[in-house]
PDB file of all heavy atoms in Angstrom:
ATOM      1  N   TYR A  61      62.110   6.846 -57.640  1.00  0.00           N
ATOM      2  CA  TYR A  61      62.444   7.962 -58.527  1.00  0.00           C
ATOM      3  C   TYR A  61      63.689   8.713 -58.054  1.00  0.00           C
ATOM      4  O   TYR A  61      64.620   8.934 -58.830  1.00  0.00           O
ATOM      5  CB  TYR A  61      61.231   8.890 -58.646  1.00  0.00           C
ATOM      6  CG  TYR A  61      61.478  10.113 -59.477  1.00  0.00           C
ATOM      7  CD1 TYR A  61      62.355  10.067 -60.562  1.00  0.00           C
ATOM      8  CD2 TYR A  61      60.849  11.309 -59.193  1.00  0.00           C
ATOM      9  CE1 TYR A  61      62.587  11.195 -61.325  1.00  0.00           C
ATOM     10  CE2 TYR A  61      61.073  12.432 -59.962  1.00  0.00           C
ATOM     11  CZ  TYR A  61      61.944  12.378 -61.009  1.00  0.00           C
ATOM     12  OH  TYR A  61      62.175  13.491 -61.757  1.00  0.00           O
ATOM     13  N   ARG A 122      62.560   3.963 -70.834  1.00  0.00           N
ATOM     14  CA  ARG A 122      63.313   5.063 -70.250  1.00  0.00           C
ATOM     15  C   ARG A 122      62.438   6.274 -69.979  1.00  0.00           C
ATOM     16  O   ARG A 122      61.455   6.505 -70.667  1.00  0.00           O
ATOM     17  CB  ARG A 122      64.421   5.502 -71.229  1.00  0.00           C
ATOM     18  CG  ARG A 122      65.384   4.425 -71.599  1.00  0.00           C
ATOM     19  CD  ARG A 122      66.532   4.370 -70.623  1.00  0.00           C
ATOM     20  NE  ARG A 122      67.138   3.043 -70.596  1.00  0.00           N
ATOM     21  CZ  ARG A 122      68.147   2.671 -71.379  1.00  0.00           C
ATOM     22  NH1 ARG A 122      68.672   3.507 -72.212  1.00  0.00           N
ATOM     23  NH2 ARG A 122      68.636   1.460 -71.289  1.00  0.00           N
ATOM     24  N   ASP A 124      60.494   9.399 -69.876  1.00  0.00           N
ATOM     25  CA  ASP A 124      59.071   9.733 -70.029  1.00  0.00           C
ATOM     26  C   ASP A 124      58.239   8.583 -70.604  1.00  0.00           C
ATOM     27  O   ASP A 124      57.039   8.536 -70.390  1.00  0.00           O
ATOM     28  CB  ASP A 124      58.851  11.029 -70.811  1.00  0.00           C
ATOM     29  CG  ASP A 124      59.832  11.214 -71.920  1.00  0.00           C
ATOM     30  OD1 ASP A 124      60.554  10.249 -72.212  1.00  0.00           O
ATOM     31  OD2 ASP A 124      59.891  12.302 -72.499  1.00  0.00           O
ATOM     32  N   TYR A 125      58.875   7.651 -71.291  1.00  0.00           N
ATOM     33  CA  TYR A 125      58.130   6.481 -71.735  1.00  0.00           C
ATOM     34  C   TYR A 125      57.701   5.641 -70.547  1.00  0.00           C
ATOM     35  O   TYR A 125      56.593   5.122 -70.485  1.00  0.00           O
ATOM     36  CB  TYR A 125      58.972   5.629 -72.693  1.00  0.00           C
ATOM     37  CG  TYR A 125      58.952   6.121 -74.109  1.00  0.00           C
ATOM     38  CD1 TYR A 125      59.993   6.872 -74.618  1.00  0.00           C
ATOM     39  CD2 TYR A 125      57.881   5.832 -74.944  1.00  0.00           C
ATOM     40  CE1 TYR A 125      59.969   7.342 -75.911  1.00  0.00           C
ATOM     41  CE2 TYR A 125      57.847   6.285 -76.247  1.00  0.00           C
ATOM     42  CZ  TYR A 125      58.898   7.046 -76.728  1.00  0.00           C
ATOM     43  OH  TYR A 125      58.863   7.505 -78.016  1.00  0.00           O
ATOM     44  N   ILE A 128      54.783   7.353 -68.786  1.00  0.00           N
ATOM     45  CA  ILE A 128      53.479   7.201 -69.415  1.00  0.00           C
ATOM     46  C   ILE A 128      52.985   5.757 -69.270  1.00  0.00           C
ATOM     47  O   ILE A 128      51.793   5.511 -69.132  1.00  0.00           O
ATOM     48  CB  ILE A 128      53.539   7.692 -70.890  1.00  0.00           C
ATOM     49  CG1 ILE A 128      52.183   8.095 -71.359  1.00  0.00           C
ATOM     50  CG2 ILE A 128      54.176   6.707 -71.792  1.00  0.00           C
ATOM     51  CD1 ILE A 128      51.750   9.419 -70.840  1.00  0.00           C
ATOM     52  N   VAL A 139      40.404   1.264 -63.235  1.00  0.00           N
ATOM     53  CA  VAL A 139      39.267   0.666 -63.936  1.00  0.00           C
ATOM     54  C   VAL A 139      38.969  -0.719 -63.364  1.00  0.00           C
ATOM     55  O   VAL A 139      37.804  -1.080 -63.138  1.00  0.00           O
ATOM     56  CB  VAL A 139      39.552   0.579 -65.453  1.00  0.00           C
ATOM     57  CG1 VAL A 139      38.457  -0.192 -66.161  1.00  0.00           C
ATOM     58  CG2 VAL A 139      39.676   1.966 -66.046  1.00  0.00           C
ATOM     59  N   ASN A 143      35.560  -2.057 -61.315  1.00  0.00           N
ATOM     60  CA  ASN A 143      34.754  -3.201 -61.724  1.00  0.00           C
ATOM     61  C   ASN A 143      34.986  -4.423 -60.843  1.00  0.00           C
ATOM     62  O   ASN A 143      34.564  -5.526 -61.182  1.00  0.00           O
ATOM     63  CB  ASN A 143      35.070  -3.564 -63.182  1.00  0.00           C
ATOM     64  CG  ASN A 143      34.635  -2.463 -64.118  1.00  0.00           C
ATOM     65  OD1 ASN A 143      33.457  -2.234 -64.324  1.00  0.00           O
ATOM     66  ND2 ASN A 143      35.586  -1.734 -64.650  1.00  0.00           N
ATOM     67  N   LEU A 246      45.599  11.418 -59.796  1.00  0.00           N
ATOM     68  CA  LEU A 246      45.875  12.610 -58.990  1.00  0.00           C
ATOM     69  C   LEU A 246      46.564  12.247 -57.679  1.00  0.00           C
ATOM     70  O   LEU A 246      47.408  12.987 -57.181  1.00  0.00           O
ATOM     71  CB  LEU A 246      44.580  13.364 -58.693  1.00  0.00           C
ATOM     72  CG  LEU A 246      44.016  14.156 -59.854  1.00  0.00           C
ATOM     73  CD1 LEU A 246      42.704  14.806 -59.463  1.00  0.00           C
ATOM     74  CD2 LEU A 246      45.008  15.221 -60.302  1.00  0.00           C
ATOM     75  N   ASP A 290      38.339  26.490 -52.681  1.00  0.00           N
ATOM     76  CA  ASP A 290      38.721  25.997 -54.002  1.00  0.00           C
ATOM     77  C   ASP A 290      40.120  26.451 -54.391  1.00  0.00           C
ATOM     78  O   ASP A 290      40.786  25.824 -55.203  1.00  0.00           O
ATOM     79  CB  ASP A 290      37.727  26.479 -55.059  1.00  0.00           C
ATOM     80  CG  ASP A 290      36.365  25.875 -54.846  1.00  0.00           C
ATOM     81  OD1 ASP A 290      36.292  24.859 -54.137  1.00  0.00           O
ATOM     82  OD2 ASP A 290      35.382  26.423 -55.371  1.00  0.00           O
ATOM     83  N   MET A 293      43.304  24.128 -54.297  1.00  0.00           N
ATOM     84  CA  MET A 293      43.682  23.294 -55.427  1.00  0.00           C
ATOM     85  C   MET A 293      44.348  24.090 -56.544  1.00  0.00           C
ATOM     86  O   MET A 293      44.900  23.512 -57.468  1.00  0.00           O
ATOM     87  CB  MET A 293      42.452  22.568 -55.982  1.00  0.00           C
ATOM     88  CG  MET A 293      41.827  21.591 -55.010  1.00  0.00           C
ATOM     89  SD  MET A 293      43.056  20.523 -54.223  1.00  0.00           S
ATOM     90  CE  MET A 293      43.600  19.578 -55.641  1.00  0.00           C
ATOM     91  N   VAL A 294      44.257  25.420 -56.463  1.00  0.00           N
ATOM     92  CA  VAL A 294      44.944  26.251 -57.450  1.00  0.00           C
ATOM     93  C   VAL A 294      46.374  26.519 -56.980  1.00  0.00           C
ATOM     94  O   VAL A 294      47.320  26.505 -57.770  1.00  0.00           O
ATOM     95  CB  VAL A 294      44.183  27.580 -57.655  1.00  0.00           C
ATOM     96  CG1 VAL A 294      44.918  28.468 -58.635  1.00  0.00           C
ATOM     97  CG2 VAL A 294      42.778  27.296 -58.151  1.00  0.00           C
ATOM     98  N   PRO A 297      49.121  23.201 -57.508  1.00  0.00           N
ATOM     99  CA  PRO A 297      49.987  23.063 -58.682  1.00  0.00           C
ATOM    100  C   PRO A 297      50.958  24.221 -58.863  1.00  0.00           C
ATOM    101  O   PRO A 297      52.046  24.031 -59.417  1.00  0.00           O
ATOM    102  CB  PRO A 297      49.006  22.983 -59.852  1.00  0.00           C
ATOM    103  CG  PRO A 297      47.723  23.480 -59.364  1.00  0.00           C
ATOM    104  CD  PRO A 297      47.691  23.257 -57.891  1.00  0.00           C
ATOM    105  N   MET A 304      59.759  23.703 -59.402  1.00  0.00           N
ATOM    106  CA  MET A 304      60.500  23.174 -60.546  1.00  0.00           C
ATOM    107  C   MET A 304      61.295  24.277 -61.242  1.00  0.00           C
ATOM    108  O   MET A 304      62.406  24.053 -61.709  1.00  0.00           O
ATOM    109  CB  MET A 304      59.517  22.557 -61.547  1.00  0.00           C
ATOM    110  CG  MET A 304      59.162  21.150 -61.211  1.00  0.00           C
ATOM    111  SD  MET A 304      60.604  20.094 -61.345  1.00  0.00           S
ATOM    112  CE  MET A 304      60.633  19.319 -59.771  1.00  0.00           C
TER     113      MET A 304
ATOM    114  N   TYR B  29      56.338  17.184 -78.904  1.00  0.00           N
ATOM    115  CA  TYR B  29      57.304  16.170 -78.488  1.00  0.00           C
ATOM    116  C   TYR B  29      58.434  16.075 -79.507  1.00  0.00           C
ATOM    117  O   TYR B  29      59.602  15.946 -79.145  1.00  0.00           O
ATOM    118  CB  TYR B  29      56.636  14.804 -78.320  1.00  0.00           C
ATOM    119  CG  TYR B  29      57.543  13.825 -77.606  1.00  0.00           C
ATOM    120  CD1 TYR B  29      57.525  13.715 -76.227  1.00  0.00           C
ATOM    121  CD2 TYR B  29      58.454  13.036 -78.310  1.00  0.00           C
ATOM    122  CE1 TYR B  29      58.371  12.861 -75.562  1.00  0.00           C
ATOM    123  CE2 TYR B  29      59.308  12.177 -77.657  1.00  0.00           C
ATOM    124  CZ  TYR B  29      59.261  12.084 -76.285  1.00  0.00           C
ATOM    125  OH  TYR B  29      60.119  11.246 -75.637  1.00  0.00           O
ATOM    126  N   ARG B  92      64.713  16.256 -68.330  1.00  0.00           N
ATOM    127  CA  ARG B  92      63.409  16.143 -68.979  1.00  0.00           C
ATOM    128  C   ARG B  92      62.282  15.952 -67.985  1.00  0.00           C
ATOM    129  O   ARG B  92      61.170  16.412 -68.202  1.00  0.00           O
ATOM    130  CB  ARG B  92      63.441  14.984 -69.961  1.00  0.00           C
ATOM    131  CG  ARG B  92      63.841  15.443 -71.336  1.00  0.00           C
ATOM    132  CD  ARG B  92      64.378  14.314 -72.125  1.00  0.00           C
ATOM    133  NE  ARG B  92      63.292  13.445 -72.590  1.00  0.00           N
ATOM    134  CZ  ARG B  92      63.508  12.378 -73.344  1.00  0.00           C
ATOM    135  NH1 ARG B  92      64.733  12.060 -73.683  1.00  0.00           N
ATOM    136  NH2 ARG B  92      62.512  11.640 -73.740  1.00  0.00           N
ATOM    137  N   ILE B  93      62.589  15.257 -66.879  1.00  0.00           N
ATOM    138  CA  ILE B  93      61.510  14.974 -65.928  1.00  0.00           C
ATOM    139  C   ILE B  93      61.076  16.259 -65.206  1.00  0.00           C
ATOM    140  O   ILE B  93      59.905  16.412 -64.869  1.00  0.00           O
ATOM    141  CB  ILE B  93      61.952  13.889 -64.933  1.00  0.00           C
ATOM    142  CG1 ILE B  93      62.326  12.609 -65.668  1.00  0.00           C
ATOM    143  CG2 ILE B  93      60.866  13.602 -63.921  1.00  0.00           C
ATOM    144  CD1 ILE B  93      61.203  11.911 -66.396  1.00  0.00           C
ATOM    145  N   THR B  98      56.635  19.985 -64.350  1.00  0.00           N
ATOM    146  CA  THR B  98      56.077  21.323 -64.565  1.00  0.00           C
ATOM    147  C   THR B  98      54.840  21.245 -65.441  1.00  0.00           C
ATOM    148  O   THR B  98      53.827  21.912 -65.175  1.00  0.00           O
ATOM    149  CB  THR B  98      57.119  22.226 -65.241  1.00  0.00           C
ATOM    150  OG1 THR B  98      58.329  22.122 -64.516  1.00  0.00           O
ATOM    151  CG2 THR B  98      56.658  23.663 -65.257  1.00  0.00           C
ATOM    152  N   GLY B 101      52.048  20.239 -63.476  1.00  0.00           N
ATOM    153  CA  GLY B 101      51.630  21.355 -62.637  1.00  0.00           C
ATOM    154  C   GLY B 101      50.771  22.337 -63.422  1.00  0.00           C
ATOM    155  O   GLY B 101      49.720  22.774 -62.951  1.00  0.00           O
ATOM    156  N   LEU B 104      47.296  20.809 -63.950  1.00  0.00           N
ATOM    157  CA  LEU B 104      46.449  20.884 -62.751  1.00  0.00           C
ATOM    158  C   LEU B 104      46.018  22.310 -62.484  1.00  0.00           C
ATOM    159  O   LEU B 104      44.894  22.570 -62.060  1.00  0.00           O
ATOM    160  CB  LEU B 104      47.210  20.355 -61.536  1.00  0.00           C
ATOM    161  CG  LEU B 104      47.366  18.852 -61.457  1.00  0.00           C
ATOM    162  CD1 LEU B 104      48.274  18.485 -60.293  1.00  0.00           C
ATOM    163  CD2 LEU B 104      46.010  18.205 -61.269  1.00  0.00           C
ATOM    164  N   ASN B 108      42.138  23.433 -62.232  1.00  0.00           N
ATOM    165  CA  ASN B 108      41.563  23.910 -60.982  1.00  0.00           C
ATOM    166  C   ASN B 108      41.246  25.395 -61.014  1.00  0.00           C
ATOM    167  O   ASN B 108      40.330  25.848 -60.345  1.00  0.00           O
ATOM    168  CB  ASN B 108      42.490  23.583 -59.821  1.00  0.00           C
ATOM    169  CG  ASN B 108      42.493  22.097 -59.527  1.00  0.00           C
ATOM    170  OD1 ASN B 108      41.454  21.504 -59.344  1.00  0.00           O
ATOM    171  ND2 ASN B 108      43.664  21.503 -59.540  1.00  0.00           N
ATOM    172  N   LEU B 112      37.213  27.304 -60.822  1.00  0.00           N
ATOM    173  CA  LEU B 112      36.723  28.294 -59.855  1.00  0.00           C
ATOM    174  C   LEU B 112      35.448  28.936 -60.386  1.00  0.00           C
ATOM    175  O   LEU B 112      35.266  29.069 -61.596  1.00  0.00           O
ATOM    176  CB  LEU B 112      37.789  29.374 -59.629  1.00  0.00           C
ATOM    177  CG  LEU B 112      39.064  28.913 -58.929  1.00  0.00           C
ATOM    178  CD1 LEU B 112      40.078  30.041 -58.903  1.00  0.00           C
ATOM    179  CD2 LEU B 112      38.770  28.437 -57.521  1.00  0.00           C
ATOM    180  N   PHE B 229      47.367  11.387 -76.382  1.00  0.00           N
ATOM    181  CA  PHE B 229      48.795  11.129 -76.249  1.00  0.00           C
ATOM    182  C   PHE B 229      49.104   9.669 -76.554  1.00  0.00           C
ATOM    183  O   PHE B 229      50.064   9.354 -77.254  1.00  0.00           O
ATOM    184  CB  PHE B 229      49.285  11.501 -74.848  1.00  0.00           C
ATOM    185  CG  PHE B 229      50.722  11.186 -74.675  1.00  0.00           C
ATOM    186  CD1 PHE B 229      51.683  11.976 -75.279  1.00  0.00           C
ATOM    187  CD2 PHE B 229      51.126  10.062 -73.985  1.00  0.00           C
ATOM    188  CE1 PHE B 229      53.009  11.657 -75.190  1.00  0.00           C
ATOM    189  CE2 PHE B 229      52.459   9.737 -73.894  1.00  0.00           C
ATOM    190  CZ  PHE B 229      53.403  10.543 -74.488  1.00  0.00           C
ATOM    191  N   ILE B 237      55.597   8.630 -81.859  1.00  0.00           N
ATOM    192  CA  ILE B 237      55.576  10.018 -81.416  1.00  0.00           C
ATOM    193  C   ILE B 237      56.586  10.865 -82.184  1.00  0.00           C
ATOM    194  O   ILE B 237      57.678  10.409 -82.491  1.00  0.00           O
ATOM    195  CB  ILE B 237      55.772  10.118 -79.891  1.00  0.00           C
ATOM    196  CG1 ILE B 237      55.484  11.532 -79.400  1.00  0.00           C
ATOM    197  CG2 ILE B 237      57.145   9.670 -79.481  1.00  0.00           C
ATOM    198  CD1 ILE B 237      54.575  11.574 -78.238  1.00  0.00           C
ATOM    199  N   THR B 264      32.523   0.290 -69.448  1.00  0.00           N
ATOM    200  CA  THR B 264      33.355   0.628 -68.282  1.00  0.00           C
ATOM    201  C   THR B 264      34.807   0.211 -68.503  1.00  0.00           C
ATOM    202  O   THR B 264      35.696   0.692 -67.831  1.00  0.00           O
ATOM    203  CB  THR B 264      32.840  -0.065 -67.010  1.00  0.00           C
ATOM    204  OG1 THR B 264      32.657  -1.444 -67.290  1.00  0.00           O
ATOM    205  CG2 THR B 264      31.550   0.534 -66.525  1.00  0.00           C
ATOM    206  N   LEU B 278      54.255   0.158 -76.118  1.00  0.00           N
ATOM    207  CA  LEU B 278      55.536   0.545 -75.547  1.00  0.00           C
ATOM    208  C   LEU B 278      56.446  -0.661 -75.394  1.00  0.00           C
ATOM    209  O   LEU B 278      57.662  -0.565 -75.544  1.00  0.00           O
ATOM    210  CB  LEU B 278      55.330   1.207 -74.187  1.00  0.00           C
ATOM    211  CG  LEU B 278      54.742   2.613 -74.221  1.00  0.00           C
ATOM    212  CD1 LEU B 278      54.535   3.137 -72.822  1.00  0.00           C
ATOM    213  CD2 LEU B 278      55.654   3.555 -74.990  1.00  0.00           C
ATOM    214  N   ASP B 292      70.365   3.146 -78.103  1.00  0.00           N
ATOM    215  CA  ASP B 292      71.068   4.177 -77.341  1.00  0.00           C
ATOM    216  C   ASP B 292      72.514   4.305 -77.786  1.00  0.00           C
ATOM    217  O   ASP B 292      73.179   3.321 -78.053  1.00  0.00           O
ATOM    218  CB  ASP B 292      71.060   3.791 -75.857  1.00  0.00           C
ATOM    219  CG  ASP B 292      69.890   4.431 -75.170  1.00  0.00           C
ATOM    220  OD1 ASP B 292      69.018   4.959 -75.894  1.00  0.00           O
ATOM    221  OD2 ASP B 292      69.860   4.392 -73.942  1.00  0.00           O
TER     222      ASP B 292
END
Side-chain angles (χ1 to χ4, degrees):
Chain A
Y61 177 33
R122 302 272 155 90
D124 37 11
Y125 277 100
I128 204 77
V139 173
N143 294 290
L246 285 177
D290 294 341
M293 296 313 293
V294 178
M304 276 295 126
Chain B
Y29 192 90
R92 268 158 76 178
I93 301 295
T98 310
L104 285 173
N108 289 307
L112 293 174
F229 177 74
I237 191 131
T264 50
L278 287 178
D292 267 11

